[in-house]
Amino acid sequence: MKFQYKKAGIKPKSVFIEKIEREEPRVFIPHKYQEKVLKSEKRFILAVAGVQGGKTICGAIWLLREALNNPNSNHLIIAPTYKMMMQSTLPKFIDYYGKSRFSVSKSEFSIIGGKGKIFVRSAEEPEKLEAMTIKSAWVDEGGMMKDEVWSILNARISIERGRILVTTTPKSFNWIYRELYRRWLKKDNDYEVVQWRSIDNPYFSKEEFERARETFSEGEFMKRYCGEFKKAEGLVYSFNRERHTLAIEHFPKEYEEIYGGLDLGYSNPTVFIIVGIANGVFYIPQSYYKTKGLMREHAERIKNIVKEYSEREVIIYADPTAKQEIEELRRYGLNIYPSRLKDINIGIDRIKKLLEEERLKINEKRCEELIFEFENYHYGLKEIGEYKETPEKMFDHGLDALRYVVGSLNTDVLKGRKWWPGEEEVEEILEKKEENDIVKVAERIIHRYIAKRRRLPDRRTGYTQKVKINGQ
């Protein structure tokens, strides 16, 4: 197989030659931006380009070269989902390496002339990337992956001081921007960024490029077709990391009230968040995201998280439509109720108010998925400059869990005031029952009581002694 560099008016120059048995030999002639990626000697390379700019084929060639140059080491190809791997990433690699060395059952290629493997994985369950040592990794469409993937990959290449290439179209100011792009801007010698437009690919139509310019908003066009980082348009929340995240050491040691929010899923993740309230501020010290899994497993993990933050029973609010799942989780010992507020937009407005008043603080290390959702949750686009009334159904699992909590709390609590009905307040509520929905009021009182009560100890801490009173 020949890999060639092509320059204007000059005969193509070979990058390197390796014998790979194929029915038809393939020749790759990179454009100038692909050439720059392939020539880079940096450990961490970001190829950020417009759609159809040729970044995926560039990634396939880069990883193949790394594997053939290091045949006794292991290497990794990773895509955001299994579906994307099968549709785009893997076929591009097979185009140049062939499929005869691919084991479907093991999801890996053998390497010519060595004992190493090329692992093929999706980023849907990042924890499954932990048990491997690799020399190089190609991360395709990294902008769609969680922050956790980057942390794991850095650990996996550390022993062999390996290399990572990320190919992507920019999605938002997420970990791609923070961990790669900003380090490159700061002149970190381990990092290089190669950026190009869709039209910089000689095979991309100029007419199509101009059509896209007229069709999409400026921000969307610059991201999708020019490979530039732009803030997502139509964002639901004005979230700012500096204002709304904290290191765990700055969180309170104790909370006045603690609640849980739960959004149930299977292929989509099941998400649990813990919400502690202190001095009118809502703190989220930890979140739990898990795809698939049994209800019993989720219940045990949630109970363990709750124990970290509270000695008393904590009310958990969940999707009000998931009645069957709520009943099952109750049997596993969770104190769980359907959220009292079904209107999505009212819940969103309450979260917006907390952000506006800087009364929502999120743990920057243990809630990375939730932060990612805040930065990407957006309204659907009707036409240029006009958005739908409800957000798109994506990047919302943790945000739904938070909405179930804030939608169920008394407005006084949301405004930062303590509320607990004493005897006089209860009498007043009952006297005005014609003006109030007495069922909802009673439910509110009961919920607040359960949240405040303390469980009896599992065993006695002292001893019991019989006594006689008046000779009895």
Side-chain angles (χ1 to χ4, degrees):
M1 181 190 295
K2 292 186 177 181
F3 298 85
Q4 299 178 324
Y5 290 152
K6 183 178 181 180
K7 297 182 180 179
I10 301 175
K11 186 177 180 180
K13 178 183 177 183
S14 296
V15 180
F16 68 93
I17 299 175
E18 280 289 347
K19 292 181 179 179
I20 298 179
E21 297 174 3
R22 293 183 54 89
E23 293 180 2
E24 297 179 5
R26 298 297 300 271
V27 176
F28 172 65
I29 303 175
H31 59 62
K32 66 178 182 179
Y33 296 100
Q34 292 171 326
E35 180 179 350
K36 190 174 181 182
V37 171
L38 294 171
K39 280 187 172 181
S40 176
E41 297 180 355
K42 304 296 185 180
R43 286 191 68 196
F44 306 104
I45 308 165
L46 171 62
V48 56
V51 295
Q52 300 295 307
K55 56 189 180 296
T56 301
I57 190 172
C58 183
I61 297 299
W62 181 89
L63 193 281
L64 178 53
R65 184 185 64 182
E66 294 295 308
L68 294 175
N69 286 345
N70 302 276
N72 291 313
S73 295
N74 293 326
H75 307 265
L76 174 66
I77 301 172
I78 181 171
T81 64
Y82 177 79
K83 187 175 182 179
M84 292 182 69
M85 176 66 78
M86 294 297 107
Q87 288 180 341
S88 176
T89 309
L90 188 58
K92 282 289 190 298
F93 188 78
I94 288 176
D95 273 349
Y96 286 89
Y97 194 50
K99 58 183 178 181
S100 61
R101 295 173 184 82
F102 182 61
S103 168
V104 176
S105 61
K106 296 181 179 179
S107 290
E108 64 185 35
F109 289 90
S110 59
I111 302 176
I112 297 171
K115 298 179 180 180
K117 304 293 182 184
I118 300 172
F119 302 119
V120 177
R121 300 288 187 269
S122 81
E124 292 170 293
E125 296 181 79
E127 62 273 13
K128 291 187 177 180
L129 303 172
E130 291 281 10
M132 61 177 70
T133 297
I134 54 177
K135 181 69 174 177
S136 69
W138 166 34
V139 183
D140 192 30
E141 291 299 347
M144 299 177 69
M145 299 181 192
K146 301 175 182 177
D147 303 44
E148 186 182 358
V149 172
W150 178 247
S151 301
I152 292 172
L153 291 180
N154 269 265
R156 297 304 95 204
I157 65 167
S158 57
I159 291 178
E160 295 203 35
R161 286 192 53 78
R163 306 176 72 205
I164 299 176
L165 168 65
V166 179
T167 55
T168 192
T169 298
K171 302 298 179 185
S172 66
F173 290 90
N174 58 4
W175 67 269
I176 297 285
Y177 181 82
R178 297 192 313 274
E179 301 295 339
L180 293 162
Y181 199 82
R182 277 203 311 198
R183 291 180 187 273
W184 172 70
L185 290 176
K186 293 178 181 179
K187 310 297 182 184
D188 190 313
N189 288 328
D190 280 337
Y191 292 78
E192 181 165 6
V193 174
V194 183
Q195 203 165 6
W196 69 90
R197 304 170 300 170
S198 301
I199 202 172
D200 292 322
N201 179 354
Y203 297 100
F204 196 91
S205 164
K206 291 182 180 179
E207 291 76 13
E208 183 64 19
F209 189 75
E210 293 304 321
R211 185 198 66 79
R213 189 197 301 273
E214 295 298 323
T215 302
F216 295 97
S217 65
E218 181 182 359
E220 189 69 13
F221 173 76
M222 295 302 288
K223 281 195 303 180
R224 291 182 61 81
Y225 291 88
C226 296
E228 294 190 11
F229 287 95
K230 296 288 182 181
K231 191 172 183 178
E233 297 182 335
L235 287 175
V236 176
Y237 297 115
S238 297
F239 182 82
N240 183 293
R241 285 177 179 259
E242 292 184 1
R243 294 167 52 206
H244 300 124
T245 65
L246 284 176
I248 190 63
E249 55 266 26
H250 299 303
F251 274 57
K253 301 299 182 185
E254 294 183 357
Y255 298 101
E256 296 157 9
E257 299 182 55
I258 297 177
Y259 299 93
L262 180 64
D263 187 56
L264 294 159
Y266 187 74
S267 296
N268 290 320
T270 290
V271 181
F272 174 74
I273 62 169
I274 197 85
V275 180
I277 305 173
N279 298 318
V281 179
F282 286 57
Y283 294 90
I284 304 178
Q286 187 172 351
S287 62
Y288 161 73
Y289 282 67
K290 178 67 176 177
T291 54
K292 303 181 180 178
L294 302 174
M295 284 292 179
R296 180 179 64 255
E297 296 170 344
H298 294 315
E300 288 304 313
R301 182 72 181 108
I302 290 168
K303 284 191 283 187
N304 289 335
I305 292 173
V306 168
K307 286 179 183 177
E308 290 186 43
Y309 301 96
S310 177
E311 294 179 355
R312 63 176 184 262
E313 202 166 34
V314 167
I315 288 182
I316 298 169
Y317 290 107
D319 184 350
T321 65
K323 295 180 180 179
Q324 183 176 340
E325 291 85 351
I326 288 173
E327 287 301 320
E328 183 177 354
L329 289 169
R330 282 177 177 167
R331 290 196 295 271
Y332 290 126
L334 294 187
N335 186 27
I336 185 169
Y337 295 87
S339 177
R340 295 165 53 197
L341 184 66
K342 297 181 180 180
D343 190 304
I344 293 174
N345 289 323
I346 293 177
I348 287 173
D349 288 342
R350 290 184 175 186
I351 296 174
K352 284 181 177 179
K353 187 69 173 175
L354 291 175
L355 290 170
E356 180 185 330
E357 297 175 353
E358 296 189 28
R359 292 198 295 116
L360 181 62
K361 303 295 181 180
I362 303 172
N363 184 343
E364 60 186 5
K365 294 297 183 184
R366 302 183 79 177
C367 300
E368 290 178 345
E369 296 97 335
L370 180 61
I371 292 170
F372 178 80
E373 290 184 11
F374 265 111
E375 294 177 332
N376 290 276
Y377 191 42
H378 62 276
Y379 293 103
L381 190 66
K382 283 185 179 178
E383 55 186 70
I384 295 177
E386 186 177 350
Y387 296 94
K388 298 176 182 177
E389 294 181 359
T390 55
E392 293 283 273
K393 193 63 185 156
M394 56 176 57
F395 310 120
D396 61 351
H397 308 296
L399 295 176
D400 283 349
L402 175 58
R403 182 166 53 81
Y404 299 148
V405 174
V406 300
S408 302
L409 300 184
N410 180 272
T411 52
D412 286 313
V413 178
L414 292 170
K415 290 177 182 178
R417 297 194 294 265
K418 297 178 182 178
W419 182 86
W420 177 246
E423 291 183 10
E424 294 180 1
E425 290 175 288
V426 172
E427 290 294 333
E428 184 179 351
I429 290 171
L430 293 174
E431 287 174 4
K432 297 181 178 180
K433 61 183 178 182
E434 294 81 6
E435 302 173 22
N436 294 286
D437 184 332
I438 196 65
V439 174
K440 289 184 178 180
V441 170
E443 183 186 42
R444 184 174 64 183
I445 293 171
I446 292 168
H447 279 204
R448 302 291 291 184
Y449 170 73
I450 293 172
K452 290 289 184 181
R453 74 181 182 185
R454 293 186 176 274
R455 299 178 67 179
L456 291 172
D458 294 329
R459 61 171 183 245
R460 295 196 303 265
T461 56
Y463 64 93
T464 303
Q465 181 176 331
K466 292 182 179 180
V467 296
K468 289 184 177 182
I469 300 176
N470 293 330
Q472 300 296 321

